[in-house]
């Protein structure tokens, strides 16, 4: 059984014969070939399918097309003359508010609704409004900044919210209250060995790796900050004075580029063959801050080699705060250790470490495609010292 549904989509009148229970997303994608509307969870949770229906954002995956008879629908393919959406697109690009792009169509629809309804929302309000749109890439920092920028532009232009941007302001949203669980929850559940964990704003990861050289030779390398610094991918030590140093770390993550310049300190214990390296720095654009510490200990390994145990602690603020997420950390720490270990082996064998260059997450992804044992994550494990 089919129904004929009449809609105005992106300013054009459409008449579509669809099954009675067909969702609006199906009409847009399969019948009108407007595939910019993405389908993710298909349960109204992820927000990727969000479109504007009579000026209000709706989940097109759970909205029956039949209920939209005579309605006006705008999708990401529309907005050709919409100045607010043009500003949002430019701001999303400028603040790196998109990466894989899957959530972006729905995110833009919700962002435009926020700009339309709020005069001067703070960051908490914007994040609450965005809570129905899930993004697995950006960490939301750039998205929030983009929306704030467009609202500031709108206010500076003397444009009022709601009335000018919506034919009829949507009714205030009601947020359901959560109930508190009665049963106790373990404060600190045990973590598997090597698992990434957090302590407040700090991300912590423990890793061990092996070197072919005996402990005494490995210790000589680690005790020399110039030498060990040359083994850290993407890092360059520029100056050392007593127990302090200065340097840089350059990274590239999709469209985001950052060159961290900073300083740090280090301490060594020759008897225990252990040490600590601490550093902090700001990127050249002033949009991210990095602080990290690595503790290491060198002991005997197999076949006369060495076993190096490490604990890495770091925190990032700003655009690159997304790298704090544990699910991004694990794989890249392993990837980075592989490159670091390779450089250490080269130096210990009388050779040279690979010349420092930008750490590229795109390069990491290529390594994954080639079958290396690596996954997406963060550079910060060994690049914290500068």
């Amino acid at each position: 059984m089919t129904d004929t549904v009449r809609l105005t989509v992106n300013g054009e009148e459409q008449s579509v014969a669809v099954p009675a229970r067909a969702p609006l997303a199906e009409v847009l994608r399969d019948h009108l070939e407007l595939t910019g509307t993405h389908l993710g969870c298909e349960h109204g949770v992820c927000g990727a399918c969000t479109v504007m229906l009579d000026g209000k954002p709706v989940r097109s995956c759970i909205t029956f097309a039949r209920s939209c008879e005579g309605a006006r629908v705008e999708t990401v393919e529309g907005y050709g003359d919409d100045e607010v959406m043009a500003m949002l697109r430019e701001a999303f690009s400028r603040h790196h508010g998109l990466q894989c792009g899957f959530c972006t169509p729905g995110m833009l629809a919700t962002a435009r609704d926020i700009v339309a309804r709020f005069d001067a929302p703070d960051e908490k309000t914007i994040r609450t409004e965005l809570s129905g749109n899930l993004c697995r890439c950006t960490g939301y920092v750039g998205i929030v900044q983009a929306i704030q920028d467009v609202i500031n532009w709108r206010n500076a232009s003397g444009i009022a919210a709601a009335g000018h941007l919506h034919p009829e302001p949507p009714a205030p949203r009601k947020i359901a209250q959560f109930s508190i669980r009665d049963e106790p929850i373990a404060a600190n559940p045990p973590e598997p060995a090597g698992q990434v964990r957090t302590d407040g704003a700090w991300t912590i990861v423990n890793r061990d790796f092996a070197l072919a050289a005996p402990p005494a030779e490995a210790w000589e390398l680690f005790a020399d900050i110039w030498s060990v610094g040359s083994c850290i991918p993407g890092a360059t030590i520029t100056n050392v004075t007593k127990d302090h140093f200065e340097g840089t770390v350059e990274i590239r993550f999709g469209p985001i580029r950052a060159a961290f310049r900073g300083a740090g300190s280090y301490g060594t214990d020759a008897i225990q063959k252990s040490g600590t390296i601490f550093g902090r720095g700001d990127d050249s654009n002033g949009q991210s801050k990095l602080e990290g510490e690595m503790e290491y200990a060198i002991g005997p390994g197999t076949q006369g080699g060495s076993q190096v145990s490490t604990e890495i602690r770091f925190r990032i603020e700003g655009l690159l705060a997304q790298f704090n997420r544990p699910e991004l950390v694990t794989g890249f720490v392993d990837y980075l250790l592989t490159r670091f270990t390779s450089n250490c082996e080269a130096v210990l064998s009388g050779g040279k470490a690979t010349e420092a260059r930008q750490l590229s997450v795109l390069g990491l992804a290529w390594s994954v495609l080639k079958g290396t044992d690596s996954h997406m994550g963060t550079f910060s494990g060994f690049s914290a010292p500068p």
Side-chain angles (χ1 to χ4, degrees):
M1 179 179 177
T2 61
D3 289 330
T4 299
V5 179
R6 295 173 179 82
L7 304 165
T8 300
V9 182
N10 297 333
E12 297 183 5
E13 294 185 1
Q14 303 285 354
S15 180
V16 186
V18 296
R21 296 181 64 81
L24 177 59
E26 179 182 317
V27 173
L28 296 174
R29 290 179 56 84
D30 299 343
H31 296 267
L32 301 180
E33 298 184 352
L34 297 171
T35 54
T37 298
H38 293 164
L39 283 174
C41 67
E42 299 191 52
H43 287 78
V45 176
C46 72
C49 69
T50 304
V51 299
M52 302 299 287
L53 181 67
D54 288 335
K56 302 177 183 180
V58 300
R59 301 288 193 266
S60 62
C61 74
I62 56 173
T63 301
F64 288 131
R66 186 178 181 181
S67 68
C68 303
E69 174 69 28
R72 187 182 72 258
V73 179
E74 283 94 26
T75 72
V76 72
E77 290 90 348
Y79 301 106
D81 299 323
D82 190 299
E83 189 176 12
V84 174
M85 185 59 78
M87 290 292 296
L88 280 169
R89 285 168 169 159
E90 191 278 331
F92 267 58
S93 178
R94 185 174 67 255
H95 288 284
H96 310 297
L98 66 162
Q99 285 184 27
C100 81
F102 191 83
C103 73
T104 304
M107 196 72 74
L108 284 170
T110 300
R112 193 192 183 288
D113 178 61
I114 295 171
V115 174
R117 290 192 297 115
F118 290 91
D119 290 316
D122 57 15
E123 180 178 343
K124 182 178 180 181
T125 299
I126 293 175
R127 286 182 174 273
T128 298
E129 292 294 315
L130 287 173
S131 61
N133 291 75
L134 305 184
C135 176
R136 295 173 66 87
C137 299
T138 68
Y140 303 94
V141 176
I143 294 173
V144 173
Q145 291 176 342
I147 295 172
Q148 289 175 324
D149 269 12
V150 175
I151 290 175
N152 291 338
W153 160 81
R154 186 207 64 200
N155 290 340
S157 301
I159 301 173
H164 176 80
L165 300 173
H166 272 321
E168 295 181 6
R173 301 181 184 181
K174 295 182 179 180
I175 301 176
Q177 298 296 315
F178 293 93
S179 60
I180 300 175
R181 293 175 54 167
D182 294 330
E183 63 270 23
I185 301 175
N188 294 296
E191 299 279 1
Q195 183 83 1
V196 175
R197 63 190 190 279
T198 57
D199 180 9
W202 291 88
T203 299
I204 307 169
V205 61
N206 294 88
R207 285 291 186 272
D208 296 347
F209 61 94
L211 294 173
E217 294 181 16
W219 168 248
E220 289 183 7
L221 172 65
F222 274 74
D224 182 354
I225 192 65
W226 286 106
S227 296
V228 75
S230 70
C231 296
I232 300 172
T236 301
I237 302 295
T238 58
N239 186 44
V240 177
T241 56
K242 294 184 179 179
D243 57 354
H244 288 76
F245 61 88
E246 297 176 352
T248 63
V249 174
E250 297 186 39
I251 66 115
R252 183 172 73 252
F253 186 79
I256 302 176
R257 286 175 169 80
F260 288 91
R261 302 182 186 278
S265 60
Y266 66 99
T268 59
D269 185 335
I271 297 177
Q272 299 294 328
K273 293 184 174 61
S274 63
T276 302
I277 302 175
F278 172 82
R280 63 166 61 93
D282 298 345
D283 79 287
S284 57
N285 295 321
Q287 293 182 306
S288 298
K289 296 182 179 181
L290 168 66
E291 186 174 4
E293 181 179 36
M294 179 180 75
E295 297 181 0
Y296 63 88
I298 302 172
T302 59
Q303 300 179 346
S306 304
Q307 183 79 4
V308 183
S309 299
T310 67
E311 179 174 285
I312 303 155
R313 302 167 55 89
F314 68 91
R315 60 182 177 184
I316 309 175
E317 299 177 358
L319 268 181
L320 294 176
Q322 58 196 299
F323 287 115
N324 286 324
R325 296 189 302 179
E327 62 270 25
L328 290 179
V329 173
T330 306
F332 201 28
V333 168
D334 292 338
Y335 165 78
L336 189 59
L337 277 176
T338 299
R339 291 182 56 185
F340 176 74
T341 302
S342 177
N343 284 338
C344 288
E345 295 283 19
V347 173
L348 289 168
S349 300
K352 293 184 178 180
T354 302
E355 184 178 352
R357 60 182 181 180
Q358 281 189 340
L359 289 177
S360 171
V361 177
L362 295 179
L364 169 62
W366 177 242
S367 296
V368 174
L369 291 174
K370 290 192 297 184
T372 58
D373 184 20
S374 56
H375 307 279
M376 284 296 288
T378 178
F379 69 95
S380 298
F382 279 94
S383 43

